[in-house]
Amino acid sequence: MSVLPVVEIPPAAACCPPLSAQALAPQAAVELAPMFKALSDPVRLRLLSLIAATTEICVCDLTDAFEVTGATISHHLRVLRETGLVDCERRGTWVYYWVKKDAMNLLGGLLTSSAAPSHQDSLISAGSDVVRLLADPLRAQLVEILAGGPACTAYLVAETGAKQPNVSGHLKQLREAGVVEAEPRGRYTFYRLVPESLQGAALHLADLGANARANADNFRGALQRPEASSR
């Protein structure tokens, strides 16, 4: 098994505050510019989004997602790799790609506002987030399948009939919400449900139901029309 070279984030760019908080140092700007230049191409930007949407993805799946030649995809992937945005590993005849989280966090942090999150955001419950995620039919189907035991992406694609990038994107959202966990096993990554997250969502719905039952006769916000004056 051969591993392709890894590009590290340059020292000057490693600890950059948000642009809204502090201007970039000249050397950091020089080191970060190739990353932004790499993402200025629509194909490369979409490639990065497909890779970021899953734990890892085979180059064969990336090639099938575009109406360009395999050589063109290989060129764009090389640019992303050389600028330190993705990493890869050859396994047999195929190469698997994944995003470099440090690079993604660096670029994301650089472009975000330095303002602290609002108190309102902190009040959003995890249970509410899970309920919202399961409102999507495909995500709900994935959770239903995974309730029967851990499964790899290929199995989930076969069971749902959805395209691999679409399934991977939904798995990423479920993983970030703590609904599923990823577990690498050999050349495959298996996804398993986190029971506590579903139990939290169930409690959230139960609380809403109890609240609705208790306030069933409590009408609010009705517009009152003045009584017609007697003639």
Side-chain angles (χ1 to χ4, degrees):
M1 180 185 298
S2 62
V3 180
L4 298 176
V6 176
V7 178
E8 300 295 339
I9 297 175
C15 299
C16 294
L19 295 178
S20 58
Q22 180 179 322
L24 276 178
Q27 183 58 34
V30 170
E31 294 169 352
L32 287 169
M35 290 187 180
F36 286 104
K37 183 177 181 180
L39 297 179
S40 66
D41 183 276
V43 174
R44 286 197 290 270
L45 181 59
R46 185 159 175 254
L47 273 172
L48 185 67
S49 72
L50 291 173
I51 298 171
T54 184
T55 304
E56 61 178 27
I57 188 170
C58 177
V59 67
C60 59
D61 295 319
L62 293 172
T63 303
D64 292 341
F66 295 87
E67 295 182 356
V68 296
T69 65
T72 300
I73 295 298
S74 295
H75 164 73
H76 287 308
L77 288 172
R78 179 175 60 81
V79 173
L80 292 175
R81 192 176 70 250
E82 289 178 348
T83 51
L85 291 169
V86 303
D87 200 0
C88 61
E89 180 181 64
R90 182 176 295 279
R91 301 172 190 168
T93 58
W94 296 110
V95 178
Y96 289 78
Y97 286 84
W98 59 88
V99 295
K100 298 187 68 174
K101 293 183 179 180
D102 288 346
M104 297 291 285
N105 292 338
L106 173 63
L107 295 183
L110 193 66
L111 298 176
T112 56
S113 169
S114 59
S118 67
H119 180 62
Q120 180 70 22
D121 292 338
S122 66
L123 295 178
I124 299 176
S125 70
S128 177
D129 288 344
V130 172
V131 172
R132 175 180 55 80
L133 283 172
L134 296 184
D136 182 273
L138 180 53
R139 282 197 291 268
Q141 187 180 6
L142 290 171
V143 168
E144 184 176 354
I145 295 172
L146 291 174
C152 66
T153 305
Y155 179 84
L156 295 172
V157 168
E159 287 293 300
T160 60
K163 293 185 177 180
Q164 193 272 342
N166 197 17
V167 169
S168 296
H170 285 303
L171 286 172
K172 179 175 182 288
Q173 294 183 60
L174 291 171
R175 192 174 70 250
E176 291 177 344
V179 179
V180 303
E181 292 178 337
E183 180 182 339
R185 290 197 173 189
R187 58 180 295 187
Y188 296 103
T189 297
F190 282 78
Y191 294 87
R192 65 171 66 248
L193 279 180
V194 178
E196 293 78 10
S197 67
L198 297 181
Q199 291 165 357
L203 290 174
H204 175 73
L205 290 175
D207 288 342
L208 288 178
N211 193 36
R213 190 178 300 110
N215 295 288
D217 298 324
N218 184 18
F219 292 91
R220 297 178 299 169
L223 295 176
Q224 301 291 331
R225 287 198 308 175
E227 295 285 341
S229 56
S230 56
R231 298 183 223 183

